[in-house]
Amino acid sequence: MARQSHRIGILGSGNIFGRYVTGLARYPELEIVRVGDIDPARAKQAATDHDIPAWGDDAELYADASVDIIVNLTPPVHHARTIITALESGKHVYVEKPLATTVEEGRAVLEAAARSGRILGSAPDTFLGSASQTARKAIDDGLIGAPIGASAFIGHSKAETWHPDPRFLFQPGGGPVMDMGPYYVAILVNCLGPIQAISAASRIGAPHRPVTSPGRAVDSIEVTVPTHTAAVLTFASGVLGTAQMSFDVWDSDLPFMEIYGTEGTLSLGNPNHFDGEVRLRRHGDASWSVLEPVVGLFGAVGTKEQARRGLGVRDLADAIEGGPHRATGSFAFHVLEALCAVEESSQQTRVVHLSSTCERPQPRYPA
Ligand SMILES: NC(=O)c1ccc[n+]([C@@H]2O[C@H](COP(=O)([O-])OP(=O)(O)OC[C@H]3O[C@@H](n4cnc5c(N)ncnc54)[C@H](O)[C@@H]3O)[C@@H](O)[C@H]2O)c1
Protein backbone atom coordinates (compact mmCIF):
# COMPACT_ATOMS: atom_id res chain seq x y z
CA MET A 1 0.00 0.00 0.00
CA ALA A 2 1.38 3.43 -0.96
CA ARG A 3 2.18 5.54 2.06
CA GLN A 4 0.86 9.06 2.51
CA SER A 5 3.42 11.82 2.29
CA HIS A 6 4.02 14.07 5.28
CA ARG A 7 5.66 17.46 5.49
CA ILE A 8 8.10 17.67 8.38
CA GLY A 9 9.43 20.75 10.10
CA ILE A 10 12.39 20.27 12.42
CA LEU A 11 12.56 22.48 15.51
CA GLY A 12 16.11 22.79 16.82
CA SER A 13 19.14 22.35 14.58
CA GLY A 14 21.86 21.28 16.99
CA ASN A 15 23.98 18.16 17.45
CA ILE A 16 21.38 15.46 16.73
CA PHE A 17 19.86 17.29 13.73
CA GLY A 18 22.03 15.67 11.03
CA ARG A 19 21.21 12.18 12.31
CA TYR A 20 17.49 12.90 11.82
CA VAL A 21 18.11 14.21 8.32
CA THR A 22 20.06 11.09 7.31
CA GLY A 23 17.70 8.75 9.15
CA LEU A 24 14.52 10.31 7.75
CA ALA A 25 15.99 9.96 4.25
CA ARG A 26 15.13 6.24 4.63
CA TYR A 27 11.49 7.28 4.34
CA PRO A 28 11.11 9.38 1.15
CA GLU A 29 7.45 10.00 1.99
CA LEU A 30 8.58 11.98 5.05
CA GLU A 31 9.88 15.19 3.52
CA ILE A 32 11.74 17.77 5.61
CA VAL A 33 10.48 21.12 4.33
CA ARG A 34 11.56 23.62 7.01
CA VAL A 35 14.00 24.12 9.87
CA GLY A 36 13.15 26.40 12.79
CA ASP A 37 15.48 27.42 15.59
CA ILE A 38 15.45 30.21 18.16
CA ASP A 39 18.77 31.00 16.54
CA PRO A 40 17.73 31.49 12.89
CA ALA A 41 21.35 31.62 11.76
CA ARG A 42 21.74 28.02 12.94
CA ALA A 43 18.53 27.08 11.12
CA LYS A 44 19.81 28.70 7.94
CA GLN A 45 23.14 26.89 8.17
CA ALA A 46 21.48 23.54 8.83
CA ALA A 47 18.99 24.00 5.99
CA THR A 48 21.71 25.05 3.58
CA ASP A 49 23.96 22.14 4.57
CA HIS A 50 21.16 19.64 3.98
CA ASP A 51 19.27 21.19 1.01
CA ILE A 52 16.14 21.94 3.02
CA PRO A 53 14.11 24.61 1.22
CA ALA A 54 12.90 26.83 4.10
CA TRP A 55 14.30 28.02 7.42
CA GLY A 56 13.68 30.66 10.03
CA ASP A 57 12.96 31.11 13.71
CA ASP A 58 10.69 28.94 15.83
CA ALA A 59 7.60 31.15 15.30
CA GLU A 60 7.90 30.84 11.52
CA LEU A 61 7.92 27.05 11.84
CA TYR A 62 4.82 27.00 14.06
CA ALA A 63 3.10 29.30 11.53
CA ASP A 64 3.98 27.27 8.42
CA ALA A 65 0.61 25.85 7.38
CA SER A 66 2.24 23.39 4.99
CA VAL A 67 3.98 21.50 7.84
CA ASP A 68 1.95 18.71 9.42
CA ILE A 69 4.58 17.13 11.74
CA ILE A 70 7.04 19.02 13.93
CA VAL A 71 10.06 17.00 15.02
CA ASN A 72 11.23 18.67 18.21
CA LEU A 73 15.00 18.50 18.74
CA THR A 74 15.33 21.26 21.32
CA PRO A 75 17.13 20.62 24.64
CA PRO A 76 14.96 18.85 27.26
CA VAL A 77 14.21 21.94 29.38
CA HIS A 78 12.46 23.45 26.34
CA HIS A 79 10.43 20.35 25.44
CA ALA A 80 7.20 20.98 27.35
CA ARG A 81 6.69 24.56 26.21
CA THR A 82 7.66 23.89 22.60
CA ILE A 83 5.57 20.71 22.34
CA ILE A 84 2.51 22.55 23.65
CA THR A 85 3.05 25.48 21.26
CA ALA A 86 3.46 23.10 18.32
CA LEU A 87 0.32 21.13 19.23
CA GLU A 88 -1.64 24.36 19.63
CA SER A 89 -0.40 25.38 16.17
CA GLY A 90 -2.18 22.34 14.79
CA LYS A 91 0.87 20.14 14.27
CA HIS A 92 1.45 16.53 15.19
CA VAL A 93 4.62 16.35 17.28
CA TYR A 94 7.48 13.92 17.68
CA VAL A 95 9.88 14.95 20.44
CA GLU A 96 13.33 13.73 21.39
CA LYS A 97 13.78 12.20 24.82
CA PRO A 98 13.01 12.82 27.57
CA LEU A 99 9.38 13.82 26.93
CA ALA A 100 9.82 16.66 29.46
CA THR A 101 11.91 17.22 32.56
CA THR A 102 9.28 16.89 35.30
CA VAL A 103 6.14 14.82 35.86
CA GLU A 104 4.06 18.01 36.01
CA GLU A 105 5.38 19.16 32.64
CA GLY A 106 4.78 15.69 31.21
CA ARG A 107 1.15 15.74 32.37
CA ALA A 108 0.66 19.23 30.88
CA VAL A 109 2.03 17.95 27.57
CA LEU A 110 -0.33 14.94 27.52
CA GLU A 111 -3.28 17.20 28.35
CA ALA A 112 -2.32 19.58 25.54
CA ALA A 113 -2.12 16.65 23.12
CA ALA A 114 -5.57 15.43 24.16
CA ARG A 115 -7.03 18.96 23.80
CA SER A 116 -5.44 19.50 20.41
CA GLY A 117 -6.64 16.32 18.72
CA ARG A 118 -3.12 16.02 17.28
CA ILE A 119 -0.88 13.02 17.91
CA LEU A 120 2.17 13.15 20.16
CA GLY A 121 5.03 10.70 19.76
CA SER A 122 8.31 10.64 21.62
CA ALA A 123 11.76 9.12 21.63
CA PRO A 124 13.31 6.85 22.50
CA ASP A 125 12.40 4.75 19.49
CA THR A 126 15.22 2.22 19.80
CA PHE A 127 12.78 -0.12 21.57
CA LEU A 128 11.18 -0.50 18.13
CA GLY A 129 14.45 -1.87 16.77
CA SER A 130 15.29 -5.49 16.09
CA ALA A 131 17.13 -6.12 19.37
CA SER A 132 14.37 -5.02 21.73
CA GLN A 133 11.67 -6.65 19.60
CA THR A 134 13.61 -9.92 19.51
CA ALA A 135 14.08 -9.87 23.28
CA ARG A 136 10.42 -9.17 23.83
CA LYS A 137 9.33 -12.04 21.60
CA ALA A 138 11.75 -14.37 23.39
CA ILE A 139 10.20 -13.42 26.73
CA ASP A 140 6.64 -13.68 25.42
CA ASP A 141 7.44 -17.09 23.90
CA GLY A 142 8.62 -18.27 27.33
CA LEU A 143 12.24 -18.86 26.35
CA ILE A 144 13.48 -17.69 29.78
CA GLY A 145 10.45 -19.00 31.66
CA ALA A 146 8.78 -16.55 34.05
CA PRO A 147 10.75 -13.26 34.25
CA ILE A 148 12.17 -12.62 37.73
CA GLY A 149 14.76 -9.86 37.45
CA ALA A 150 16.63 -7.53 35.14
CA SER A 151 19.78 -5.47 35.33
CA ALA A 152 20.73 -2.37 33.35
CA PHE A 153 24.14 -0.85 33.35
CA ILE A 154 24.47 2.65 31.90
CA GLY A 155 28.03 3.80 31.47
CA HIS A 156 29.23 7.26 30.54
CA SER A 157 28.39 8.59 27.08
CA LYS A 158 31.54 10.78 27.40
CA ALA A 159 29.58 13.72 25.97
CA GLU A 160 32.13 16.27 27.15
CA THR A 161 34.58 14.71 24.68
CA TRP A 162 32.32 14.98 21.58
CA HIS A 163 29.33 17.30 22.16
CA PRO A 164 30.18 20.93 21.34
CA ASP A 165 27.92 22.22 24.14
CA PRO A 166 27.26 19.44 26.68
CA ARG A 167 26.19 21.78 29.50
CA PHE A 168 22.53 20.69 29.40
CA LEU A 169 23.61 17.10 30.07
CA PHE A 170 25.11 18.06 33.44
CA GLN A 171 22.22 20.22 34.67
CA PRO A 172 18.76 19.30 36.00
CA GLY A 173 16.89 17.69 33.11
CA GLY A 174 20.14 15.99 32.07
CA GLY A 175 22.43 13.62 33.94
CA PRO A 176 22.62 9.90 33.16
CA VAL A 177 19.11 9.28 34.50
CA MET A 178 17.32 11.69 32.16
CA ASP A 179 19.77 11.54 29.26
CA MET A 180 20.53 7.81 28.92
CA GLY A 181 17.91 6.33 31.25
CA PRO A 182 15.06 6.65 28.70
CA TYR A 183 16.66 4.10 26.32
CA TYR A 184 17.06 1.45 29.02
CA VAL A 185 13.78 2.02 30.84
CA ALA A 186 11.80 2.09 27.57
CA ILE A 187 13.24 -1.31 26.60
CA LEU A 188 12.57 -2.76 30.05
CA VAL A 189 8.96 -1.51 29.98
CA ASN A 190 8.51 -2.78 26.42
CA CYS A 191 9.77 -6.22 27.50
CA LEU A 192 8.43 -6.48 31.05
CA GLY A 193 5.49 -4.07 31.32
CA PRO A 194 4.94 -1.03 33.55
CA ILE A 195 6.90 -0.06 36.66
CA GLN A 196 5.15 0.33 40.00
CA ALA A 197 7.75 1.65 42.43
CA ILE A 198 11.34 2.85 42.56
CA SER A 199 14.02 3.38 45.17
CA ALA A 200 17.39 4.88 44.41
CA ALA A 201 20.47 6.67 45.70
CA SER A 202 22.59 9.17 43.77
CA ARG A 203 25.65 11.35 44.00
CA ILE A 204 27.66 13.81 41.95
CA GLY A 205 30.97 12.25 40.91
CA ALA A 206 33.02 15.37 40.24
CA PRO A 207 31.56 18.90 40.61
CA HIS A 208 33.53 20.29 37.66
CA ARG A 209 34.35 18.62 34.36
CA PRO A 210 36.72 19.69 31.59
CA VAL A 211 35.19 19.85 28.10
CA THR A 212 37.51 18.60 25.37
CA SER A 213 35.14 18.30 22.39
CA PRO A 214 36.12 19.85 19.05
CA GLY A 215 34.55 23.31 18.51
CA ARG A 216 33.48 23.45 22.17
CA ALA A 217 31.33 26.32 23.42
CA VAL A 218 32.84 26.11 26.94
CA ASP A 219 36.03 24.69 28.47
CA SER A 220 34.50 23.33 31.66
CA ILE A 221 31.13 22.50 33.14
CA GLU A 222 29.75 22.96 36.62
CA VAL A 223 27.86 19.77 37.43
CA THR A 224 24.51 20.39 39.16
CA VAL A 225 22.76 17.05 38.66
CA PRO A 226 23.67 13.62 40.12
CA THR A 227 26.03 11.75 37.80
CA HIS A 228 26.07 8.36 39.54
CA THR A 229 22.85 6.57 40.53
CA ALA A 230 21.91 3.11 41.76
CA ALA A 231 18.21 2.24 41.49
CA VAL A 232 15.81 -0.64 42.18
CA LEU A 233 12.79 -0.85 39.89
CA THR A 234 9.76 -2.88 40.97
CA PHE A 235 7.61 -3.81 37.98
CA ALA A 236 3.84 -4.30 38.29
CA SER A 237 4.43 -7.94 37.28
CA GLY A 238 6.66 -8.44 40.33
CA VAL A 239 9.90 -8.45 38.32
CA LEU A 240 12.72 -6.66 40.16
CA GLY A 241 15.16 -4.60 38.13
CA THR A 242 18.42 -2.99 39.19
CA ALA A 243 19.89 -0.10 37.24
CA GLN A 244 23.17 1.73 37.57
CA MET A 245 23.11 4.98 35.64
CA SER A 246 26.38 6.84 35.56
CA PHE A 247 28.43 9.54 33.88
CA ASP A 248 31.30 8.51 36.19
CA VAL A 249 31.89 5.01 34.81
CA TRP A 250 34.22 5.58 31.86
CA ASP A 251 35.06 1.92 31.28
CA SER A 252 33.49 -1.35 32.32
CA ASP A 253 33.12 -4.98 31.25
CA LEU A 254 29.54 -5.35 32.48
CA PRO A 255 26.83 -6.06 29.87
CA PHE A 256 24.37 -3.29 28.91
CA MET A 257 21.29 -5.20 29.99
CA GLU A 258 20.25 -8.68 31.11
CA ILE A 259 16.83 -10.16 31.85
CA TYR A 260 16.58 -13.20 34.13
CA GLY A 261 13.81 -15.81 34.18
CA THR A 262 13.04 -19.09 35.90
CA GLU A 263 14.54 -20.96 32.94
CA GLY A 264 17.26 -18.77 31.52
CA THR A 265 18.88 -15.39 30.84
CA LEU A 266 18.68 -12.93 27.96
CA SER A 267 21.56 -10.55 27.29
CA LEU A 268 21.02 -7.42 25.17
CA GLY A 269 23.37 -4.99 23.44
CA ASN A 270 23.40 -1.21 23.67
CA PRO A 271 19.81 0.08 24.15
CA ASN A 272 20.86 3.30 22.39
CA HIS A 273 21.13 1.20 19.21
CA PHE A 274 18.32 -0.36 17.20
CA ASP A 275 20.07 -3.59 16.35
CA GLY A 276 22.54 -5.86 18.08
CA GLU A 277 22.87 -9.42 19.24
CA VAL A 278 20.29 -10.77 21.65
CA ARG A 279 21.81 -13.77 23.38
CA LEU A 280 19.98 -16.53 25.23
CA ARG A 281 21.33 -19.04 27.69
CA ARG A 282 18.86 -21.46 29.19
CA HIS A 283 19.76 -23.31 32.41
CA GLY A 284 22.01 -26.19 31.45
CA ASP A 285 23.02 -24.78 28.05
CA ALA A 286 26.75 -25.18 27.44
CA SER A 287 27.00 -21.72 25.88
CA TRP A 288 25.04 -18.66 24.78
CA SER A 289 23.09 -18.75 21.51
CA VAL A 290 22.31 -15.71 19.38
CA LEU A 291 18.60 -15.31 18.60
CA GLU A 292 17.44 -14.70 15.04
CA PRO A 293 16.16 -11.08 14.74
CA VAL A 294 12.35 -10.94 14.47
CA VAL A 295 12.26 -7.66 12.47
CA GLY A 296 14.57 -6.23 9.80
CA LEU A 297 17.87 -4.59 10.75
CA PHE A 298 19.06 -1.09 9.90
CA GLY A 299 22.64 -2.23 9.70
CA ALA A 300 25.60 -3.60 11.55
CA VAL A 301 26.40 -2.62 15.10
CA GLY A 302 29.28 -0.17 15.16
CA THR A 303 28.12 1.59 11.97
CA LYS A 304 26.50 5.00 11.70
CA GLU A 305 23.20 3.30 10.87
CA GLN A 306 22.64 2.71 14.60
CA ALA A 307 22.91 6.41 15.42
CA ARG A 308 20.50 7.61 12.74
CA ARG A 309 17.05 8.58 13.88
CA GLY A 310 13.61 8.61 12.28
CA LEU A 311 11.89 5.30 13.03
CA GLY A 312 9.83 7.00 15.74
CA VAL A 313 8.71 9.68 13.27
CA ARG A 314 7.66 6.93 10.84
CA ASP A 315 5.76 5.36 13.76
CA LEU A 316 3.96 8.69 14.34
CA ALA A 317 3.13 8.89 10.63
CA ASP A 318 1.65 5.37 10.86
CA ALA A 319 -0.60 6.59 13.66
CA ILE A 320 -1.69 9.66 11.66
CA GLU A 321 -2.61 7.28 8.84
CA GLY A 322 -4.77 5.23 11.22
CA GLY A 323 -2.23 2.50 11.98
CA PRO A 324 -0.79 1.44 15.33
CA HIS A 325 1.14 3.97 17.42
CA ARG A 326 3.89 2.53 19.60
CA ALA A 327 6.30 5.29 20.68
CA THR A 328 3.40 7.26 22.15
CA GLY A 329 3.37 10.26 24.44
CA SER A 330 1.76 8.18 27.20
CA PHE A 331 4.44 5.46 26.96
CA ALA A 332 7.11 8.19 27.12
CA PHE A 333 5.28 9.75 30.07
CA HIS A 334 5.44 6.49 32.03
CA VAL A 335 9.17 6.26 31.28
CA LEU A 336 9.59 9.91 32.35
CA GLU A 337 7.67 9.30 35.58
CA ALA A 338 9.93 6.35 36.36
CA LEU A 339 13.04 8.46 35.76
CA CYS A 340 11.69 11.33 37.85
CA ALA A 341 10.93 8.77 40.58
CA VAL A 342 14.59 7.72 40.52
CA GLU A 343 15.57 11.34 41.18
CA GLU A 344 12.86 11.89 43.81
CA SER A 345 13.71 8.68 45.64
CA SER A 346 17.39 9.66 45.74
CA GLN A 347 16.61 13.10 47.09
CA GLN A 348 14.07 11.96 49.68
CA THR A 349 15.56 8.53 50.60
CA ARG A 350 12.22 6.78 50.24
CA VAL A 351 10.40 4.43 47.91
CA VAL A 352 8.43 6.37 45.27
CA HIS A 353 5.26 4.81 43.86
CA LEU A 354 4.35 5.74 40.30
CA SER A 355 0.93 7.22 39.53
CA SER A 356 0.93 6.16 35.89
CA THR A 357 0.90 2.83 34.15
CA CYS A 358 0.93 1.91 30.47
CA GLU A 359 0.17 -0.87 28.08
CA ARG A 360 3.14 -2.53 26.46
CA PRO A 361 3.26 -1.17 22.90
CA GLN A 362 2.04 -3.47 20.14
CA PRO A 363 4.99 -5.53 18.88
CA ARG A 364 6.41 -4.84 15.41
CA TYR A 365 6.89 -8.48 14.57
CA PRO A 366 4.00 -10.30 12.88
CA ALA A 367 1.45 -11.83 15.25
N1 LIG B 1 23.20 14.98 20.75
C1 LIG B 1 22.91 13.70 20.83
O1 LIG B 1 23.76 12.80 20.61
C2 LIG B 1 21.52 13.25 21.13
C3 LIG B 1 21.23 11.90 21.00
C4 LIG B 1 19.94 11.47 21.24
C5 LIG B 1 18.98 12.37 21.64
N2 LIG B 1 19.28 13.69 21.81
C6 LIG B 1 18.22 14.61 22.25
O2 LIG B 1 17.99 15.56 21.21
C7 LIG B 1 17.62 16.82 21.79
C8 LIG B 1 18.57 17.88 21.27
O3 LIG B 1 19.88 17.53 21.63
P1 LIG B 1 21.13 18.20 20.88
O4 LIG B 1 22.31 17.50 21.42
O5 LIG B 1 20.90 18.26 19.42
O6 LIG B 1 21.05 19.70 21.50
P2 LIG B 1 21.85 21.00 21.01
O7 LIG B 1 21.99 21.88 22.21
O8 LIG B 1 23.06 20.62 20.25
O9 LIG B 1 20.84 21.71 19.97
C9 LIG B 1 19.60 22.24 20.36
C10 LIG B 1 19.13 23.25 19.33
O10 LIG B 1 17.84 23.70 19.72
C11 LIG B 1 17.79 25.15 19.61
N3 LIG B 1 16.77 25.62 20.56
C12 LIG B 1 16.90 25.78 21.89
N4 LIG B 1 15.72 26.18 22.41
C13 LIG B 1 14.85 26.29 21.38
C14 LIG B 1 13.50 26.68 21.30
N5 LIG B 1 12.81 27.03 22.38
N6 LIG B 1 12.91 26.68 20.08
C15 LIG B 1 13.62 26.35 18.97
N7 LIG B 1 14.92 25.97 19.00
C16 LIG B 1 15.53 25.94 20.19
C17 LIG B 1 19.20 25.61 19.89
O11 LIG B 1 19.44 26.89 19.35
C18 LIG B 1 20.02 24.49 19.21
O12 LIG B 1 20.25 24.78 17.86
C19 LIG B 1 17.65 16.61 23.31
O13 LIG B 1 16.35 16.29 23.76
C20 LIG B 1 18.56 15.40 23.49
O14 LIG B 1 18.23 14.65 24.66
C21 LIG B 1 20.53 14.15 21.54
Side-chain angles (χ1 to χ4, degrees):
M1 194 179 72
R3 283 175 150 167
Q4 289 173 23
S5 52
H6 296 274
R7 290 172 63 85
I8 313 270
I10 299 192
L11 184 71
S13 49
N15 187 268
I16 188 87
F17 178 86
R19 282 181 268 160
Y20 269 86
V21 174
T22 52
L24 284 170
R26 294 170 176 149
Y27 312 105
E29 70 283 2
L30 304 180
E31 188 190 359
I32 305 171
V33 296
R34 175 178 280 277
V35 186
D37 198 298
I38 42 165
D39 181 347
R42 294 187 76 152
K44 180 178 180 182
Q45 187 66 53
T48 309
D49 289 348
H50 295 280
D51 287 330
I52 297 167
W55 61 83
D57 65 16
D58 48 341
E60 288 170 276
L61 173 50
Y62 299 131
D64 186 337
S66 77
V67 167
D68 60 324
I69 298 174
I70 286 186
V71 174
N72 184 341
L73 308 182
T74 62
V77 289
H78 298 282
H79 284 179
R81 193 174 49 78
T82 51
I83 293 169
I84 292 170
T85 308
L87 290 165
E88 288 176 350
S89 307
K91 317 297 188 198
H92 304 287
V93 176
Y94 181 81
V95 65
E96 251 304 333
K97 52 78 194 164
L99 177 69
T101 57
T102 66
V103 172
E104 293 68 32
E105 280 182 358
R107 281 206 190 95
V109 157
L110 293 190
E111 284 164 16
R115 272 197 313 273
S116 71
R118 304 285 97 181
I119 304 179
L120 172 63
S122 175
D125 56 358
T126 46
F127 78 87
L128 300 175
S130 72
S132 177
Q133 296 289 315
T134 301
R136 169 156 164 186
K137 186 164 191 312
I139 293 166
D140 290 357
D141 288 350
L143 298 188
I144 61 167
I148 296 170
S151 67
F153 188 78
I154 305 177
H156 187 18
S157 60
K158 304 179 184 169
E160 64 267 47
T161 66
W162 55 263
H163 197 299
D165 190 0
R167 282 174 290 187
F168 76 91
L169 297 171
F170 294 88
Q171 295 164 356
V177 174
M178 284 294 175
D179 182 50
M180 296 304 289
Y183 299 109
Y184 293 69
V185 172
I187 286 180
L188 288 173
V189 174
N190 180 50
C191 285
L192 299 169
I195 296 169
Q196 211 166 49
I198 288 190
S199 57
S202 294
R203 59 162 292 179
I204 289 177
H208 302 282
R209 297 213 179 208
V211 179
T212 57
S213 55
R216 55 192 169 274
V218 291
D219 288 325
S220 75
I221 311 171
E222 192 190 343
V223 180
T224 56
V225 71
T227 51
H228 189 80
T229 292
V232 175
L233 288 56
T234 303
F235 289 79
S237 64
V239 171
L240 288 181
T242 51
Q244 180 169 293
M245 311 182 192
S246 185
F247 282 172
D248 292 297
V249 174
W250 286 69
D251 298 291
S252 160
D253 280 332
L254 287 175
F256 289 94
M257 189 180 286
E258 290 181 339
I259 299 174
Y260 313 105
T262 51
E263 292 173 30
T265 297
L266 278 178
S267 181
L268 283 75
N270 189 343
N272 194 4
H273 295 171
F274 293 90
D275 307 310
E277 281 186 354
V278 178
R279 297 184 307 137
L280 168 71
R281 189 160 178 175
R282 289 168 58 83
H283 303 338
D285 285 353
S287 59
W288 294 88
S289 55
V290 177
L291 298 180
E292 202 55 44
V294 297
V295 299
L297 274 58
F298 283 127
V301 169
T303 66
K304 286 186 176 165
E305 291 304 322
Q306 297 304 322
R308 294 193 171 138
R309 294 295 188 252
L311 181 57
V313 185
R314 185 52 254 174
D315 178 64
L316 172 66
D318 286 343
I320 294 168
E321 294 165 25
H325 193 198
R326 298 177 171 96
T328 63
S330 53
F331 181 81
F333 176 76
H334 184 68
V335 171
L336 171 69
E337 196 188 9
L339 298 169
C340 290
V342 169
E343 295 193 332
E344 191 180 330
S345 174
S346 309
Q347 286 156 6
Q348 301 181 3
T349 57
R350 66 178 180 89
V351 177
V352 175
H353 294 268
L354 272 61
S355 67
S356 68
T357 184
C358 69
E359 296 289 325
R360 290 194 310 165
Q362 189 175 318
R364 284 184 67 222
Y365 47 86

